[in-house]
Amino acid sequence: MKIAAFRHTGQPGVGLVSADLQSVQPFDLPAAQRELGALPVIEMLARGEALPALLAAVALAEVQLIAPIPKPRRNIFCVGKNYFAHAREFAGSGFDSSAQAGEDIPADPIYFTKVPESVVGPGAAIEMPAASDAIDYEAELTVIIGRGGKGIAAKDAMAHVWGYTIINDVTARDWQSRHKQWLLGKSFDTFCPMGPWLVSADECDGTKTSVRCYVNGEERQNASTTDLIFDIPKLIETLSAGITLYPGDIIATGTPVGVGIGFKPPKYLKSGDVVRVEIDGIGTLENPVR
């Protein structure tokens, strides 16, 4: 199934997207729950409850899609340097403050977070901040946790995955380098485009899918999740070893080679650009830059 969050006639909604991607059937939920997008639905399913009742379908063309989880309960968990080619690209960029010489490929997953307030939806603008002119894109397959837990073994981890979405991990590279730890450079307002919807794990094989990114129609990134240094089970095992995971938690799995700092000179985003991320089995997330 695909679950989308949206606004229709000024009101929040969340519902099932049709197989032909032409309409959405809203769930019959109170307004306070609809404001949270797909999160209450994921929580219901994790408790073993049935999906909420469905209302009459609305054409997707008539709604404004928003981030499928527009108000995450806590920070988005993100993984740095998790594709082999990107890890080498980043190490050679001069912006990698996380490794010593000769440590291009990490021995363990590198986690950081983005604050919930950085989340925006499909079509929303990535706002260029006055504080930086080194703004970069990062296309990422993103895991949505279904059944929570702690101390989850890698062999059991996929049973805790509800599904997937797309995140563009927008980054202020100068802030990322200057402040050593990456929270500030990753968490500016609008720096976490998410969408276009959530896709359940039975419709998307996150272990073997293509991730692509285009800027103004120019292909910048194109890789398969088979190239991940640390696969999804390892990421969940590592994160849950000391942190309890909850339904609706969000884990961005890292970005492939081809980010802006990998070019000579770097190809940073600028006002007027359009960034499009495509992931097979999920769809397309597109955002203008202004």
Side-chain angles (χ1 to χ4, degrees):
M1 72 181 76
K2 295 179 175 68
I3 301 178
F6 57 90
R7 299 197 77 84
H8 182 236
T9 63
Q11 297 299 312
V14 57
L16 287 180
V17 179
S18 63
D20 62 6
L21 308 183
Q22 296 302 302
S23 64
V24 58
Q25 274 191 283
F27 292 119
D28 188 5
L29 290 170
Q33 289 188 310
R34 298 198 307 269
E35 288 280 4
L36 299 176
L39 180 58
V41 180
I42 300 301
E43 291 174 329
M44 289 176 188
L45 294 174
R47 293 193 296 265
E49 300 173 14
L51 287 171
L54 291 167
L55 303 174
V58 180
L60 268 180
E62 296 178 5
V63 307
Q64 176 191 356
L65 290 176
I66 62 174
I69 302 181
K71 299 177 180 179
R73 77 155 53 80
R74 56 181 175 178
N75 285 22
I76 294 95
F77 298 107
C78 303
V79 183
K81 302 198 302 185
N82 198 28
Y83 285 77
F84 284 98
H86 171 64
R88 297 185 182 98
E89 168 187 61
F90 191 39
S93 70
F95 287 86
D96 185 4
S97 61
S98 67
Q100 302 297 318
E103 295 181 358
D104 297 358
I105 306 301
D108 294 286
I110 298 172
Y111 269 101
F112 61 93
T113 67
K114 296 172 81 78
V115 299
E117 293 78 10
S118 64
V119 171
V120 293
I126 299 167
E127 300 284 355
M128 293 292 289
S132 172
D133 58 3
I135 307 304
D136 209 345
Y137 53 87
E138 293 191 4
E140 308 208 10
L141 174 74
T142 300
V143 171
I144 305 299
I145 293 296
R147 180 161 57 90
K150 186 176 181 180
I152 301 167
K155 65 182 178 62
D156 302 319
M158 295 307 291
H160 292 260
V161 175
W162 185 88
Y164 304 94
T165 191
I166 301 171
I167 274 179
N168 182 356
D169 177 19
V170 181
T171 307
R173 294 298 185 191
D174 47 354
W175 283 60
Q176 181 184 33
S177 177
R178 179 191 312 143
H179 294 282
K180 310 303 180 186
Q181 295 185 352
W182 301 345
L183 175 72
L184 292 178
K186 298 282 190 174
S187 293
F188 284 21
D189 293 349
T190 75
F191 273 23
C192 191
M194 179 195 300
W197 35 62
L198 305 188
V199 178
S200 56
D202 60 333
E203 290 194 13
C204 176
D205 183 0
T207 67
K208 188 178 181 180
T209 192
S210 176
V211 178
R212 299 176 298 278
C213 181
Y214 303 84
V215 178
N216 303 328
E218 176 193 0
E219 183 181 283
R220 298 283 184 87
Q221 297 179 285
N222 189 339
S224 170
T225 55
T226 58
D227 296 332
L228 289 172
I229 298 172
F230 305 106
D231 62 15
I232 292 168
K234 175 64 174 179
L235 296 179
I236 292 174
E237 179 181 66
T238 301
L239 185 58
S240 71
I243 298 174
T244 300
L245 298 181
Y246 295 100
D249 275 344
I250 301 166
I251 306 172
T253 60
T255 198
V257 68
V259 295
I261 55 168
F263 294 89
K264 307 293 184 188
K267 293 185 176 182
Y268 294 127
L269 295 176
K270 60 185 183 302
S271 183
D273 286 346
V274 176
V275 185
R276 185 174 81 253
V277 181
E278 299 176 353
I279 298 183
D280 292 346
I282 302 177
T284 299
L285 172 67
E286 184 170 288
N287 297 87
V289 180
R290 71 180 185 198

